[in-house]
Amino acid sequence: MATTTGPSPIQLDCSPHGIVVACADHPWWRAFRFHKEDAWTSACNHEEQEHGDDRRQRHARDVRRARARIAR
């Protein structure tokens, strides 16, 4: 069972040129995206496939989307 306390093993590293999505638990897995929403989707898909019980990335994505709706 995956731990769900502390920081997520999946991190987004943003630069002006793009976003690298990496997982500390699976160092061979990486994704590169140009848009933050696509990077969150990639992180969430990896989390769902490889860290099924861990919902930290999906929760963070949902909170981010909710805040974006409120900010409009």
Side-chain angles (χ1 to χ4, degrees), residues 2 9 11 15 26 29 33 45 49-50 53-54 65 71-72:
Q11 301 295 316
S15 79
H26 301 107
W29 180 85
R33 301 293 184 262
N45 288 343
Q49 292 172 3
E50 301 295 333
D53 294 338
D54 189 346
R65 286 180 177 169
R72 288 185 197 167

Side-chain angles (χ1 to χ4, degrees), residues 14-50:
C14 302
S15 79
H17 305 290
I19 303 153
V20 175
V21 185
C23 178
D25 291 348
H26 301 107
W28 59 89
W29 180 85
R30 296 227 189 292
F32 180 85
R33 301 293 184 262
F34 289 105
H35 303 284
K36 197 153 200 172
E37 188 63 32
D38 294 341
W40 279 100
T41 299
S42 181
C44 292
N45 288 343
H46 175 74
E47 181 183 70
E48 189 171 11
Q49 292 172 3
E50 301 295 333

